[in-house]
Amino acid sequence: MPKKNEDPSFRMDTPRRLLRARDVLNRRATRIIVVLDQVADPHNIAACLRTVEALGLQYVWIIRSIIEKRPTKRSIACIAKGAECWLTIRRFDTAEECVAQLESDGYSVWICADGENALTLTTPTPPSLAENEQIALVVGRETDGVSLPLQKIAQKRVFIPLSGFSASLNLSVATALVLQRLLDWYPTLRKGPNETQRNNIVQAWKQHLGMNLVPFMEQHPNFFSSSSSFSSHGDHLNSTSTGDFAARVSCGSWAPKALLRREEEQRSQWQACQAAGEEKLCSVEEEDTDEKNGRKSKRSRAINT
């Protein structure tokens, strides 16, 4: 039964997966997009997609690289963790095509690059941003950065000052740092999608939310609408308690069952050695997989008790 003063249309049996999806949708930063400019390594692209989705963006534009590397045996899907399913991705064959579309859509182009008039992201006072201004953050390829066509139309250059011996960051790491800083500077970027964007996103998400949830969505066609009566009963993302929010949000990390099983076996052997009071080294058997030929081999590792 609904609690007192709650909207009677609120159902306590609302699927948590849909509540999660709706709260994610409400927080989508649709006024900022990321443009991956001819990134050559597919693994870097996959990592950027995961980063962008995790930080709450929806739109990614990808300019094809002529020198694209072949993906290795390591699964790209394993890196992206399914993030591409929740993103709206648009692809361009050339930088010129992307430039024309950015200008047509009225984006303010910010590029990740240093140089003359570049703005360091450590500055406490960010540049002013118009009320409805849309930002296109361009991340260049690994070797030489942002391409010349996009440099020519850039309104701003932003960069991360480094203090160590390393002169660069991994592409997805740099993307994460820049995006988080921009979202901190301009919280209004997270105001959520308009109704047209909302409908298009939900239609694309339906197949990934699960067919078993389709009947509920058909019964409540306005569930994802910004004016939905469900909107005041948000899931954990709308919690006002910082501690509660941190306790409920999963980082999405996981370990294979085989790894967890081996870890438990090793822990048991180590505890058995301690219980026996043995001063000698305990030998623990580990299993390795040779990625080159797919063969499995076993080895012993000593544990000092």
Side-chain angles (χ1 to χ4, degrees):
M1 293 293 293
K3 296 180 181 179
K4 188 177 180 180
N5 299 326
E6 281 188 344
D7 192 302
S9 65
F10 173 65
R11 293 176 43 170
M12 298 300 291
D13 61 343
T14 303
R16 288 183 59 82
R17 186 169 175 81
L18 288 184
L19 288 170
R20 170 77 177 185
R22 188 201 53 204
D23 290 333
V24 168
L25 181 62
N26 289 339
R27 289 172 171 264
R28 272 307 202 223
T30 54
R31 286 178 54 200
I32 179 171
I33 69 172
V34 169
V35 180
L36 300 180
D37 182 17
Q38 304 179 60
V39 176
D41 191 335
H43 292 151
N44 280 339
I45 294 176
C48 283
L49 293 180
R50 181 178 176 182
T51 295
V52 168
E53 199 286 320
L55 291 177
L57 276 69
Q58 180 63 35
Y59 300 105
V60 180
W61 292 8
I62 300 177
I63 304 173
R64 186 176 65 88
S65 174
I66 299 176
I67 57 171
E68 183 177 355
K69 295 181 180 179
R70 291 184 179 180
T72 61
K73 289 184 179 180
R74 187 183 180 191
S75 173
I76 294 177
C78 180
I79 299 174
K81 296 291 187 183
E84 69 281 1
C85 299
W86 311 107
L87 295 171
T88 302
I89 301 174
R90 186 169 185 178
R91 300 180 186 274
F92 299 87
D93 289 329
T94 65
E96 288 75 13
E97 290 180 11
C98 184
V99 166
Q101 193 61 55
L102 288 170
E103 292 179 331
S104 175
D105 293 350
Y107 280 99
S108 176
V109 178
W110 294 36
I111 64 174
C112 296
D114 54 9
E116 187 177 0
N117 298 323
L119 178 67
T120 174
L121 290 171
T122 57
T123 181
T125 306
S128 59
L129 189 71
E131 183 178 355
N132 295 316
E133 185 175 348
Q134 301 181 104
I135 296 176
L137 178 67
V138 182
V139 181
R141 66 182 176 185
E142 301 88 342
T143 52
D144 52 2
V146 178
S147 61
L148 189 58
L150 285 158
Q151 288 189 41
K152 289 181 177 179
I153 66 167
Q155 277 87 12
K156 289 183 175 63
R157 291 171 172 256
V158 292
F159 73 99
I160 305 165
L162 302 178
S163 303
F165 289 108
S166 300
S168 63
L169 295 170
N170 173 268
L171 198 72
S172 64
V173 173
T175 302
L177 291 174
V178 174
L179 279 178
Q180 185 59 60
R181 188 56 170 161
L182 293 181
L183 292 171
D184 289 341
W185 275 353
Y186 310 111
T188 56
L189 293 176
R190 291 190 183 276
K191 72 174 185 178
N194 58 40
E195 286 302 320
T196 300
Q197 292 172 328
R198 187 179 292 268
N199 292 334
N200 292 337
I201 293 171
V202 170
Q203 288 301 316
W205 282 6
K206 276 185 177 180
Q207 60 179 315
H208 305 296
L209 288 172
M211 295 302 297
N212 60 318
L213 300 178
V214 171
F216 181 91
M217 289 186 281
E218 291 177 347
Q219 185 180 358
H220 302 277
N222 296 323
F223 178 80
F224 286 99
S225 172
S226 59
S227 58
S228 170
S229 59
F230 287 83
S231 58
S232 61
H233 305 282
D235 197 18
H236 53 270
L237 288 182
N238 284 337
S239 172
T240 56
S241 169
T242 303
D244 182 60
F245 175 84
R248 288 169 173 258
V249 175
S250 168
C251 65
S253 60
W254 63 279
K257 291 182 180 179
L259 177 62
L260 295 175
R261 187 167 54 250
R262 291 209 312 270
E263 185 181 56
E264 184 60 31
E265 290 172 355
Q266 292 172 18
R267 185 180 294 110
S268 298
Q269 292 184 37
W270 180 76
Q271 291 173 347
C273 286
Q274 281 198 322
E278 296 180 4
E279 297 296 335
K280 63 181 180 179
L281 296 180
C282 294
S283 179
V284 177
E285 199 173 61
E286 296 179 335
E287 187 179 83
D288 288 338
T289 300
D290 188 343
E291 294 183 358
K292 186 175 181 180
N293 54 33
R295 296 177 182 173
K296 293 184 178 180
S297 60
K298 292 187 177 180
R299 66 178 181 179
S300 292
R301 179 169 64 86
I303 296 180
N304 194 345
T305 59

